[in-house]
Amino acid sequence: MKSVLLYYPFQLAENANSGSKLRPKKIYSAFKEWGQMNGIEILLLSGHSTERSIQFEKWMAEGKLDNLLFCYMENQTIPFWLTDPGHIPKKPFIDSKVMKFLKKKNVPTGVFYRDVYWKFDELYPLKGLKKSVMQSIYRLEEKFYEKYCKVIFLPSDAMGRYVNISKEKVALPPGGAAEETHERAAKKEQSVSNGLYVGGINNEDYGLFLLLDALKIANKEEKVCDLTVVCREDEYSKLPEDKKQRLSDLHVSVKHISGKALNELYAEMDFAFIPRYKSTYNDFSVPVKLVEYLSNELPVVATNCEAQKDIIETDQYGIICDDNPVSMAEAITQMSVEANLYRSNIQATFNAKHSWMARVEKIKESLLEEDL
């Protein structure tokens, strides 16, 4: 039986409460569905280095790795050698052993290279000698991928200019899932739309208070939009009183919900916001919230950060504005009128182009020269 190897040199998180933890699980789930559809066995090699070593040797002895079509690997935000507890690998050579085996067998391998925040002084928190040592390890990781991988998958095309790996680079942003969509209640004509912001509120870079400035302008003459903010309760409790007052003055509804309650809220909303300030890093990163909004058929008002702009504008999933209050206020006013138009675009193409299954198909197409 033909098979595909998923190589995750880390322990899968039980509680996937962030994009970096959720993505490997979603990809694995989509691969299993894809494998069932195509009669292909999906082999997941993950866990701590000792666990990976034991499993790899077992599969080698059983011949389970004899008919591999390709291998898909994911990394984390720390170099894969350091993902064991305490950041000390008990089996430091297992990753090289796996990759050497794949290369000897001519198994095409691709890695999802998650982040390059360590290349930006304003983002990377380490200082002095620790910083120099860690950056050297990151550079060794890039060389490792260059030696063993055919394709480097990235969150966006824009990130490619910061990745020093001389191999083919393919954009593989976060995906959405058809099962996350749901029936939206039919709405009567309404003069005031419902906008949603889900995310962090403790960092100016996230743009919540830029959004509040824009909302105040948009609603100045006549109210066009009500805003609901969903955030972590501890972040809200630590918010300065003057900022809490700004939320109150604009009659913003603040909620601390997740799971089913959040899904139900999505169904009540007309559109959503990603108001991040434009920066070098934000230009190439793709927020997981973007595909979560789109999975729930919510058009998006977003700032002109390059990667998110590309996804939204390519298929007309929302409105792009500059990262200033006046431009965003204009976008809010426009979206309040045109949300249904953008929602119809999402319904027409999103699942086909941006589901996790579509991401699996993209991986397969990039690594195999011939179709199955």
Side-chain angles (χ1 to χ4, degrees):
M1 186 179 189
K2 292 180 179 179
S3 59
V4 166
L5 178 66
L6 265 60
Y7 188 56
Y8 294 169
F10 49 85
Q11 189 80 38
L12 283 171
E14 290 185 14
N15 180 24
N17 58 0
S18 68
S20 60
K21 295 176 181 178
L22 182 67
R23 182 189 181 105
K25 286 190 166 186
K26 289 292 189 180
I27 286 280
Y28 177 43
S29 178
F31 258 110
K32 286 194 293 184
E33 183 180 346
W34 176 84
Q36 289 173 353
M37 291 166 54
N38 291 280
I40 294 169
E41 185 176 12
I42 306 301
L43 303 172
L44 175 63
L45 184 55
S46 67
H48 303 319
S49 61
T50 301
E51 295 170 328
R52 300 198 303 275
S53 181
I54 292 171
Q55 186 67 71
F56 180 66
E57 294 296 338
K58 181 174 182 289
W59 282 346
M60 286 271 287
E62 294 172 348
K64 288 187 71 103
L65 303 176
D66 291 346
N67 294 297
L68 289 173
L69 291 168
F70 60 86
C71 171
Y72 172 74
M73 176 181 177
E74 291 227 0
N75 82 338
Q76 291 202 314
T77 52
I78 59 173
F80 60 79
W81 296 290
L82 307 180
T83 59
D84 274 6
H87 304 307
I88 300 175
K90 293 187 176 180
K91 294 287 185 178
F93 304 110
I94 179 57
D95 308 295
S96 296
K97 189 172 185 178
V98 172
M99 291 299 135
K100 286 178 180 176
F101 167 82
L102 295 172
K103 192 167 187 177
K104 184 178 179 181
K105 294 283 190 178
N106 294 315
V107 176
T109 299
V111 62
F112 178 73
Y113 192 49
R114 187 174 305 282
D115 213 332
V116 289
Y117 77 109
W118 57 273
K119 298 189 178 189
F120 296 87
D121 288 337
E122 67 272 22
L123 298 175
Y124 195 47
L126 294 184
K127 306 293 181 185
L129 181 60
K130 282 187 177 180
K131 177 179 179 180
S132 297
V133 170
M134 281 301 298
Q135 287 180 326
S136 295
I137 297 174
Y138 277 116
R139 284 190 283 270
L140 286 174
E141 187 181 31
E142 286 189 323
K143 292 298 181 186
F144 182 92
Y145 297 142
E146 185 169 280
K147 181 176 181 180
Y148 291 110
C149 293
K150 174 184 178 181
V151 176
I152 310 300
F153 296 105
L154 303 172
S156 68
D157 286 323
M159 182 173 151
R161 70 189 71 143
Y162 303 99
V163 177
N164 298 323
I165 305 174
S166 298
K167 289 295 175 74
E168 180 187 1
K169 299 179 180 70
V170 174
L172 199 74
E179 65 267 23
E180 291 172 6
T181 61
H182 43 260
E183 287 294 323
R184 302 186 63 85
K187 294 190 176 183
K188 298 178 181 179
E189 287 297 321
Q190 55 188 27
S191 58
V192 179
S193 59
N194 294 311
L196 176 67
Y197 172 87
V198 180
I201 63 172
N202 61 350
N203 187 324
E204 288 294 331
D205 188 55
Y206 299 149
L208 173 61
F209 294 95
L210 162 63
L211 171 56
L212 295 187
D213 290 339
L215 186 69
K216 185 176 181 180
I217 295 171
N219 287 338
K220 186 175 182 180
E221 300 296 330
E222 178 184 8
K223 178 174 272 197
V224 298
C225 179
D226 282 325
L227 176 64
T228 299
V229 169
V230 177
C231 62
R232 290 190 175 98
E233 189 169 5
D234 63 329
E235 287 191 13
Y236 180 75
S237 66
K238 294 174 184 176
L239 205 62
E241 287 303 318
D242 62 320
K243 291 188 173 181
K244 288 181 181 176
Q245 190 61 48
R246 287 183 65 189
L247 289 162
S248 177
D249 289 345
L250 291 169
H251 307 290
V252 174
S253 175
V254 179
K255 298 179 182 290
H256 314 295
I257 58 176
S258 60
K260 182 181 179 182
L262 180 56
N263 286 334
E264 291 172 352
L265 181 64
Y266 281 137
E268 299 171 8
M269 295 293 109
D270 296 305
F271 56 89
F273 294 98
I274 301 180
R276 303 187 302 167
Y277 281 97
K278 188 174 174 65
S279 67
T280 301
Y281 184 82
N282 285 345
D283 264 340
F284 65 71
S285 65
V286 178
V288 172
K289 281 300 170 201
L290 172 58
V291 291
E292 188 168 315
Y293 290 153
L294 297 176
S295 292
N296 287 279
E297 299 180 1
L298 283 180
V300 183
V301 171
T303 47
N304 59 342
C305 300
E306 189 173 332
Q308 66 188 30
K309 176 183 176 182
D310 182 56
I311 292 173
I312 293 168
E313 285 195 334
T314 297
D315 293 293
Q316 296 296 297
Y317 293 155
I319 298 173
I320 298 298
C321 62
D322 295 335
D323 58 353
N324 66 68
V326 172
S327 179
M328 190 173 293
E330 292 172 352
I332 292 171
T333 302
Q334 181 183 348
M335 182 62 87
S336 294
V337 176
E338 299 178 356
N340 285 336
L341 170 64
Y342 294 107
R343 182 173 297 110
S344 66
N345 295 338
I346 297 168
Q347 292 167 338
T349 66
F350 178 77
N351 282 327
K353 295 184 68 172
H354 297 285
S355 66
W356 288 112
M357 183 64 73
R359 298 294 182 252
V360 168
E361 289 288 347
K362 184 73 171 180
I363 292 167
K364 185 263 294 182
E365 291 167 6
S366 300
L367 291 173
L368 292 184
E369 296 180 1
E370 298 181 2
D371 206 350
L372 296 176

